[in-house]
Structure formats: structure tokens, C-alpha cells
């Protein structure tokens, strides 16, 4: 298995262009099934999750090419709505295919999705939303079969503002008969991006970015060309890395409005953050200050996907900070790994109490999930000595060659790929 080897203690410096958003690209790729023909999607990063989604679409009969950061997807040849279990088990976002496949084919067969082990992530809200639109759902062990002779608009209230459920319902409802209203909808920027893509295909969707989304069903959609928004989590990761290493980094192709909660936290920690259009400059030359309390919550509050990265910064801060995780109960597994590097962190249920230490020290650590892996890379960059991060396939799910990205900012980081021993006696 590949590893990252990091020689820490060097401030990051330079300019970087932020990749397209994985969490926007995945549902957009799925939504392409709603239109019969060739769709071109730009600013799509080269990631494991993206390749899994493209492989699923190919298994469904689509033609898909990913050249540079552009995906050309021909859905005219799609001929099945049965998603292979082997591929679906590799990525949770494969669940996004339920809505589009149900809308296009009138039925779909999928399996419980895989992904990072960060806690319980039920798909009940997805299924309840599709049932409200008229789908009949049968669960046969790990298999889920959905059928709908005709989808009809409905008034749907989500018990929790789930991003995935909101997006699945949106994609199914655009071809349903009549009006659908999603109440207590998720408000994330990725949902707003999905709305813009659906509208570009001819859908009638309103209200994304608020807690009420309205969809008026149309008879058909047409393919389009579209560019995905910048990845706010990748941008946030680089911003925190710049602060933790006491560096100076300029980020281009960002949407600062999507990062307002992080910018607020960084400024409270004494980090200099300047915004100019789509450019963000982050600088820090001194030890960060503790931030009394941070609580993760649905957008526009502080994102769970940046919790582990910011924890590294607070582990180095002057004073005591508290970080409370309210979205995923399994998202504090990186605490033990950071403790190996000298961090002073105590976990109390879903809260982490951090007593800042002057420095971290290099160690061999293991990425337990995507964002925990990114946090350990930041810790390695800020630490004294050598850090080895193992199980980096998790990191590759969300960061396009993170070692290349950080090397451009002066980091001493490299990927080690063991050479298989093919010698035989």
C-alpha cells in the first residue's frame, strides 16, 4: 500500500489553484443520466471516488472519458439501471444514482453503499423521499429495489437536512409529474451547484441554498456543458496547512463565501486571512491562539469535513480549545493518531478538549478516513522530524495527488509505492 513520507518543519509558501469540488461533481455526474445524449462537465478532479462513479456509469452502458479535468459523458447508450454491488460498495456517493435511475428507467437495483467509516450514515431519508414521490421500495438483505410506474410530485419534510437525501430527491423530482417541495432541505453549496446544473439541462428547480427547495417536473431534459464549483474542503485544508506551518499561501479559484465559517475560526486563532474576489491569502508567523469552542453543524455552520484539519491547528495553539462533533459519531478516530505525534487531546463523548502544545513530532500514523488523513498530513507538515502516513487510499478519494499539490508550496512530501515482489523460487 502507498504511503506518504513527510519531512516537517517547513512553512508552506506560494500560490495554488484549487481543484473542482468532488462533492459537487459526483451528484452532477449521476444527474447526467437524466438527459439522453452527451454532457460535458469541466473542472472535475482526478480522484478515486470520481473514477468509481465513472466506472459505475460505464457498467450502466454509458460512454465516459476523463481527460485532464474534463469529463465527456454519453448517456444515450445507457441500457440498465442495476448498479454492480462490487462498485457500489467502494463509495457512499454511489447512492446518488437511485434518483436519476428511478426517474429515467422507472426502476433501479442498488446496494448499501460503502465509503469512509466515520459513523452511522443511514439512507432512510433517501428512501422515504423516493417513496413520497411514488416509488415502491423493497429491501432484500443488502439489495435495494426501487420501482415507480410514474413519479409524482409531493410535499416532503426531511427529519434532518441530509445533503445526499436532498440531492437524490431533487434528481428524481425533476422528471416527476407536478410540484415537489423539499422542506428542511440541506443548504450546502454543492446543492446549489446541482440546482444550477439541472436548470442548465432544462429543469425547473428553485430555492437551493435555503431550507425550502421547489421542483416543478418537466417532461424531459437535454444535455449541456457545465463547470463544477471549486472544492471548499480542499481549499480549507490548504488554508489550515498554511496556518499550521506558519506559512504564506495564496489560493486561487476559490469561493470565499463557501468558507466563511472557517475564515472566522482562523481569524479567531490569530491567522491573517485576506479575501480579494476568488483569491484568498492566508498567512501566519506566530503560534495560533486557542479557540474556545467550535461545533460542527450543517451548512452554513462549521463543516464536519474540516473538523479534523482544524484540530491539528488547535493542537498547536496557545491555550485550551474545545471542538464538538455533532454530525458523525465516528469522526474523532484521528485523535489517537495525533496523540502519537505529541498532541494533548482528551475525548469526552463527541467533544475533543485540546490543550495546545508548542510542537508536534514526526511519527508513523494511519489515515482512518479521508479527512482524518488530510489532518495527519497537515500534522506531518507542521511537526519536527519525519512522519509516515499509511492507508493513504482514503486521502486519494478526495485530494488529487495531495503530495504534488503540497510540493508546489514547498512541502517536503513524497509518495512511497512499494514494488511488488514477483520473484519466484
Amino acid at each position: 500500500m502507498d504511503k506518504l513520507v513527510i519531512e516537517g518543519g517547513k512553512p508552506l509558501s506560494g500560490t495554488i489553484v484549487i481543484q473542482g469540488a468532488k462533492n459537487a461533481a459526483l451528484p452532477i455526474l449521476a444527474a447526467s443520466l437524466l438527459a439522453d445524449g452527451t454532457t460535458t462537465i469541466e473542472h472535475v478532479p482526478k480522484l478515486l471516488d470520481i473514477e468509481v462513479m465513472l466506472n459505475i456509469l460505464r457498467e450502466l452502458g454509458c460512454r465516459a472519458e476523463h481527460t485532464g479535468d474534463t469529463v465527456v459523458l454519453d448517456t444515450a447508450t445507457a441500457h440498465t439501471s442495476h448498479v454492480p454491488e462490487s462498485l457500489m460498495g467502494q463509495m457512499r456517493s454511489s447512492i446518488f444514482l437511485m434518483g436519476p435511475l428511478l426517474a429515467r428507467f422507472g426502476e433501479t437495483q442498488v446496494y448499501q453503499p460503502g465509503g469512509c467509516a466515520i459513523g452511522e450514515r443511514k439512507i432512510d431519508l433517501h428512501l422515504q423521499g423516493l417513496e413520497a414521490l411514488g416509488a415502491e421500495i423493497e429491501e432484500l438483505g443488502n439489495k435495494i429495489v426501487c420501482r415507480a410506474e410514474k413519479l409524482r410530485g409531493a410535499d416532503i419534510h426531511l427529519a434532518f437536512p441530509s445533503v445526499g437525501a436532498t440531492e437524490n430527491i431533487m434528481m428524481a423530482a425533476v422528471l416527476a409529474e407536478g410540484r415537489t417541495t423539499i422542506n428542511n432541505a440541506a443548504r450546502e453549496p454543492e446543492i446549489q451547484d446541482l440546482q444550477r446544473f439541472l436548470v442548465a439541462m432544462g429543469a425547473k428547480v428553485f430555492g437551493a441554498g435555503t431550507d425550502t427547495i421547489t421542483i416543478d417536473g418537466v417532461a424531459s431534459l437535454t444535455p449541456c456543458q457545465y463547470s463544477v464549483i471549486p472544492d471548499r474542503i480542499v481549499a480549507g485544508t490548504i488554508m489550515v496547512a498554511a496556518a499550521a506551518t506558519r506559512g504564506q499561501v495564496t489560493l486561487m479559484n476559490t469561493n470565499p463565501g463557501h468558507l466563511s465559517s472557517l475564515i472566522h475560526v482562523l481569524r479567531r486563532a490569530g491567522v491573517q486571512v485576506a479575501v480579494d474576489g476568488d483569491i484568498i491569502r492566508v498567512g501566519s508567523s506566530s503560534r495560533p491562539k486557542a479557540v474556545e469552542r467550535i461545533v460542527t453543524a450543517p451548512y452554513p455552520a462549521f463543516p464536519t469535513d474540516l473538523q479534523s484539519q482544524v484540530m491539528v491547528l488547535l493542537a498547536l495553539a496557545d491555550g485550551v480549545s474545545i471542538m464538538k462533533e455533532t454530525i458523525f459519531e465516528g469522526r474523532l478516530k484521528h485523535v489517537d493518531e495525533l496523540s502519537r505525534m505529541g498532541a494533548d487531546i482528551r475525548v469526552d463523548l463527541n467533544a475533543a478538549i485540546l490543550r495546545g502544545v508548542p510542537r508536534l513530532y514526526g511519527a508513523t500514523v494511519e489515515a482512518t478516513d479521508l479527512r482524518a488523513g488530510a489532518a495527519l498530513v497537515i500534522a506531518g507538515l507542521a511537526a519536527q522530524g519525519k512522519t509516515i502516513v499509511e492507508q493513504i487510499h482514503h486521502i486519494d478519494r478526495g485530494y488529487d495527488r495531495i503530495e504534488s499539490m503540497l510540493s508546489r508550496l514547498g512541502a517536503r512530501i513524497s509518495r512511497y509505492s512499494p514494488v511488488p515482489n514477483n520473484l519466484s523460487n
Side-chain angles (χ1 to χ4, degrees):
M1 298 292 286
D2 286 6
K3 305 175 183 179
L4 290 174
V5 180
I6 306 165
E7 290 288 348
K10 190 174 189 297
L12 296 186
S13 177
T15 299
I16 189 166
V17 179
I18 299 302
Q19 69 187 49
K22 178 196 82 157
N23 289 338
L26 289 170
I28 285 172
L29 288 170
S32 299
L33 283 165
L34 295 165
D36 191 350
T38 301
T39 292
T40 301
I41 307 169
E42 299 170 338
H43 212 209
V44 180
K46 292 261 189 180
L47 305 171
L48 284 180
D49 277 9
I50 296 293
E51 291 310 305
V52 171
M53 178 63 82
L54 292 178
N55 285 335
I56 292 174
L57 292 169
R58 292 181 184 114
E59 287 287 330
L60 298 176
C62 301
R63 295 190 181 97
E65 294 182 4
H66 193 178
T67 306
D69 67 353
T70 299
V71 169
V72 178
L73 184 64
D74 183 359
T75 65
T77 51
H79 55 76
T80 180
S81 61
H82 293 191
V83 181
E85 182 177 12
S86 59
L87 288 172
M88 196 150 187
Q90 295 179 31
M91 179 185 64
R92 176 163 182 87
S93 297
S94 55
I95 199 68
F96 290 135
L97 291 157
M98 291 180 68
L101 288 172
L102 188 62
R104 176 163 176 171
F105 291 100
E107 65 94 26
T108 183
Q109 178 179 297
V110 298
Y111 296 84
Q112 289 285 348
C116 285
I118 55 176
E120 190 174 30
R121 297 193 285 180
K122 294 181 179 180
I123 61 170
D124 296 13
L125 297 179
H126 298 250
L127 302 182
Q128 290 167 12
L130 296 177
E131 281 183 318
L133 295 173
E136 295 181 0
I137 297 175
E138 187 177 10
E139 296 188 59
L140 304 169
N142 196 38
K143 183 194 299 182
I144 304 168
V145 180
C146 302
R147 298 184 181 89
E149 189 172 318
K150 191 171 189 61
L151 293 174
R152 291 181 172 83
D155 191 9
I156 300 170
H157 181 86
L158 294 177
F160 177 83
S162 162
V163 174
T166 299
E167 291 173 330
N168 238 333
I169 295 166
M170 287 170 66
M171 290 186 280
V174 291
L175 294 180
E177 183 180 278
R179 170 168 287 189
T180 297
T181 302
I182 308 173
N183 300 294
N184 197 31
R187 300 163 60 185
E188 273 73 2
E190 294 78 16
I191 290 183
Q192 299 173 49
D193 210 32
L194 178 60
Q195 173 179 288
R196 286 189 289 268
F197 176 70
L198 293 171
V199 169
M201 290 199 297
K204 297 180 179 178
V205 188
F206 316 91
T210 74
D211 60 3
T212 303
I213 298 175
T214 303
I215 305 108
D216 288 327
V218 297
S220 64
L221 299 175
T222 55
C224 68
Q225 182 170 339
Y226 192 78
S227 183
V228 174
I229 59 172
D231 196 311
R232 61 193 173 103
I233 305 303
V234 171
T237 300
I238 297 297
M239 292 166 69
V240 175
T245 61
R246 302 185 189 180
Q248 302 281 335
V249 172
T250 298
L251 298 87
M252 303 181 70
N253 185 46
T254 72
N255 188 322
H258 297 168
L259 292 157
S260 57
S261 61
L262 174 64
I263 291 172
H264 177 65
V265 166
L266 291 178
R267 286 174 173 163
R268 287 168 62 194
V271 179
Q272 291 80 50
V273 182
V275 174
D276 182 10
D278 69 347
I279 297 173
I280 301 176
R281 295 181 177 86
V282 180
S284 180
S285 58
S286 58
R287 187 179 180 188
K289 297 182 291 187
V291 178
E292 183 179 347
R293 184 176 176 85
I294 302 172
V295 180
T296 65
Y299 188 86
F302 191 85
T304 181
D305 279 355
L306 286 173
Q307 174 256 106
S308 54
Q309 298 92 311
V310 169
M311 191 177 290
V312 177
L313 183 68
L314 298 182
L316 292 164
D318 183 9
V320 177
S321 306
I322 297 176
M323 180 164 278
K324 185 175 181 180
E325 172 62 49
T326 70
I327 306 297
F328 296 123
E329 73 278 6
R331 202 154 221 177
L332 294 174
K333 294 179 180 178
H334 53 282
V335 168
D336 288 343
E337 303 304 298
L338 290 176
S339 296
R340 295 175 190 269
M341 302 180 72
D344 184 355
I345 309 173
R346 180 171 62 87
V347 174
D348 183 10
L349 297 176
N350 63 339
I353 298 93
L354 299 101
R355 297 183 182 276
V357 296
R359 62 188 59 83
L360 297 175
Y361 299 92
T364 297
V365 291
E366 181 177 310
T368 54
D369 63 70
L370 168 56
R371 306 307 175 186
L376 294 174
V377 170
I378 295 173
L381 295 172
Q384 287 188 0
K386 178 188 292 186
T387 296
I388 298 174
V389 183
E390 301 179 331
Q391 301 295 324
I392 63 171
H393 61 279
H394 291 298
I395 301 173
D396 291 338
R397 289 185 47 237
Y399 298 85
D400 187 356
R401 302 295 291 193
I402 194 169
E403 71 279 9
S404 299
M405 184 190 315
L406 293 167
S407 292
R408 291 195 292 273
L409 297 174
R412 294 172 291 197
I413 177 172
S414 58
R415 180 180 294 249
Y416 171 71
S417 301
V419 177
N421 185 357
N422 294 323
L423 298 177
S424 58
N425 295 327

